[in-house]
Amino acid sequence: MKKYNAVIFDLDGVICHTDKYHYQAWKAVADELGIYFDEEINNRLRGVSRMESFEIILERYEGEMSEEEKECWTTKKNDIYKELLKNMSPADLSAEVKETLDNLRANGYKLAIGSSSKNARFILGQLGLGEYFDAISDGNNISKSKPDPEVFVKAAEFLGLPAEKCMVVKDAEAGINAAIAGHMDSGAIGDATGCGKATYNLTSFRDLWKAVEE
Ligand code: BG6
Ligand code: MG
């Protein structure tokens, strides 16, 4: 019997790389507000919801800001971000990622997305993966952000599978904590490998195959 029946993937930082677009969009907003912002601060926004990201940026803001103003600025950031996302195409999907996904699928694994982003479906469409996944759980169907496990719990629910049959792949520590809270095994990729809490540390996307079949 297989250890897992499904793999739930984070999108940003796992399936594709949107960091530079998030950075450019937040930088435009921060510049307009006169707030210092750099790539190091941008790295802290990984896996963090849009509004929580803005709160982190506002740590360096001297003035006061109402909830309505925050809504306006985050909407502005998202408008800029969505324009930038139009630059993405199927060429942004690496051969390694596509091969691994195809290989998992061919071997009977269900594949899902578990992402905090409200733009997940748009990004998947840009990558040519609009109809690819068996389930998509994203920022539009959750009320609590990571490290709360809601986004992954919902993904498992959409797939109709128990948590222990799903493995989560994440690039941020908050996501690994969320997987643990949701009683799911996890594979850490990139920065998340440093936290030492994932079931598997994946040095490359292809390692995922070894992890699920081990
Ligand atoms: C996560 C990103 O996937 O989605 C975060 O890692 C981002 O950086 C969050 O803030 C929300 O994204 P969006 O697309 O809804 O603004
Ligand atoms: Mg991520």
Side-chain angles (χ1 to χ4, degrees), residues 10-13 18-19 22 26 42-54 74 77-78 81-82 85 114-120 123 138-140 146 170-172:
D10 180 23
L11 181 62
D12 297 307
T18 47
D19 267 13
H22 278 297
W26 281 129
N42 193 56
N43 289 343
R44 288 176 57 205
L45 313 182
R46 273 191 205 132
V48 178
S49 75
R50 195 181 307 162
M51 190 52 88
E52 284 165 332
S53 296
F54 191 45
T74 50
K77 181 267 173 175
N78 196 50
Y81 179 57
K82 280 196 79 172
L85 288 177
S115 164
S116 321
S117 173
K118 292 186 174 167
N119 295 300
I123 296 168
D138 64 18
N140 298 297
K146 292 171 232 166
K170 272 296 305 181
D171 69 321

Side-chain angles (χ1 to χ4, degrees), residues 7-8 18 23 32 40 51 56 58 71 73-74 81 96 115 123 134 151-152 166 172 183 193 202 205 214:
V7 185
I8 303 171
T18 47
Y23 175 75
E32 212 175 317
E40 213 175 307
M51 190 52 88
I56 291 174
L58 287 178
E71 281 297 332
W73 286 108
T74 50
Y81 179 57
E96 186 184 2
S115 164
I123 296 168
D134 299 294
V151 72
F152 301 135
C166 300
H183 310 288
T193 55
L202 311 172
F205 210 81
E214 148 185 285

Side-chain angles (χ1 to χ4, degrees), residues 119-183:
N119 295 300
R121 284 174 198 270
F122 184 75
I123 296 168
L124 289 169
Q126 292 297 106
L127 293 172
L129 293 177
E131 305 296 320
Y132 191 88
F133 288 89
D134 299 294
I136 297 173
S137 171
D138 64 18
N140 298 297
N141 62 256
I142 55 170
S143 55
K144 290 167 246 145
S145 38
K146 292 171 232 166
D148 191 283
E150 187 181 14
V151 72
F152 301 135
V153 170
K154 285 267 164 62
E157 245 174 67
F158 294 160
L159 290 170
L161 289 169
E164 61 274 18
K165 288 305 218 178
C166 300
M167 176 181 162
V168 164
V169 183
K170 272 296 305 181
D171 69 321
E173 182 175 354
I176 301 296
N177 290 334
I180 294 168
H183 310 288

